[in-house]
Amino acid sequence: SQQGEEDPQALSIQEGENATMNCSYKTSINNLQWYRQNSGRGLVHLILIRSNEREKHSGRLRVTLDTSKKSSSLLITASRAADTASYFCATAKAAGNKLTFGGGTRVLVKP
Amino acid sequence: EAGVAQSPRYKIIEKRQSVAFWCNPISGHATLYWYQQILGQGPKLLIQFQNNGVVDDSQLPKDRFSAERLKGVDSTLKIQPAKLEDSAVYLCASSHGHQASYEQYFGPGTRLTVT
């Protein structure tokens, strides 16, 4: 079974707009990670946020984590056509490094 | 730094045939993972190795899937016999260690089609 569930399943925006996607999970975690996947570059790690962190930034990416609600959000600001991809959240528990992925959000950025 | 290498990139077989996938992780990475990604879904972990030992294979269908990492470097994943529902992309990933904070680096995957 998948731990994380992304919302929405698909998102279509214009270049320059912001894109926000959410992830909910069910059990306690050590950290939550976001990945991007497109046909050209495979699955690429974007950002990791630990359970004791509430917000993290990396370039145009902003991730929040609310452990009380078991949810996370990924914001991509000033989107570009190259941001077109599927975005997955993945949770890691305290023991081991087993990642449990959600079903992903497909983002289309129109030029 | 060279990334995770996988081969072949594509494979088409008939059901009941066997197939093998190969993975070469990033040099120095002790932990290696095999994931199965069915179209439209997120990756699902099949097996995790720490050096040449299995850490987690709870979601590996052991009646038909097997994997090995004999020398703690390269790994092979085999399916025998294949079923139609095995059609998926098989992703290999590696990380420095098996602690939860280590980033996993993914290979390009092998797309398997079972007809």
Side-chain angles (χ1 to χ4, degrees), chain A residues 1-2 30-31 33 35 37 42-43 45 48 50 88 92-94 96-99 101-103 106, chain B residues 33 35 37 40-43 45 48 56 58-59 91 95 97-104 106-107:
Chain A
S1 64
Q2 294 187 318
N30 175 280
N31 65 71
Q33 303 177 33
Y35 285 81
Q37 185 177 44
L43 202 64
H45 181 268
L48 180 153
R50 292 181 170 79
F88 295 91
K93 295 187 177 181
N97 199 11
K98 174 181 176 179
L99 288 179
F101 284 82
R106 292 178 296 282
Chain B
Y33 316 78
Y35 289 86
Q37 185 176 22
Q41 298 182 17
L45 180 70
Q48 176 182 348
D56 187 332
S58 58
Q59 297 192 93
L91 297 164
S95 64
H98 66 277
Q99 286 75 25
S101 59
Y102 283 111
E103 178 180 339
Q104 294 184 27
F106 285 79

Side-chain angles (χ1 to χ4, degrees), chain A:
Chain A
S1 64
Q2 294 187 318
Q3 162 83 307
E5 295 295 334
E6 283 92 339
D7 171 59
Q9 290 188 333
L11 184 59
S12 180
I13 56 174
Q14 293 294 137
E15 205 166 25
E17 293 180 341
N18 295 342
T20 300
M21 59 210 84
N22 303 296
C23 169
S24 60
Y25 58 93
K26 299 176 183 175
T27 62
S28 62
I29 61 173
N30 175 280
N31 65 71
L32 186 145
Q33 303 177 33
W34 285 91
Y35 285 81
R36 179 182 66 220
Q37 185 177 44
N38 57 33
S39 58
R41 293 193 60 197
L43 202 64
V44 175
H45 181 268
L46 295 176
I47 197 164
L48 180 153
I49 185 165
R50 292 181 170 79
S51 60
N52 61 354
E53 297 177 311
R54 292 296 168 259
E55 188 171 312
K56 206 161 184 181
H57 297 256
S58 177
R60 294 183 295 111
L61 305 179
R62 173 179 170 257
V63 168
T64 63
L65 179 65
D66 186 335
T67 53
S68 67
K69 295 181 179 178
K70 291 186 170 60
S71 68
S72 173
S73 68
L74 171 66
L75 167 68
I76 306 173
T77 60
S79 63
R80 305 167 181 169
D83 295 328
T84 293
S86 290
Y87 292 81
F88 295 91
C89 69
T91 55
K93 295 187 177 181
N97 199 11
K98 174 181 176 179
L99 288 179
T100 305
F101 284 82
T105 294
R106 292 178 296 282
V107 175
L108 172 64
V109 181
K110 295 178 283 187

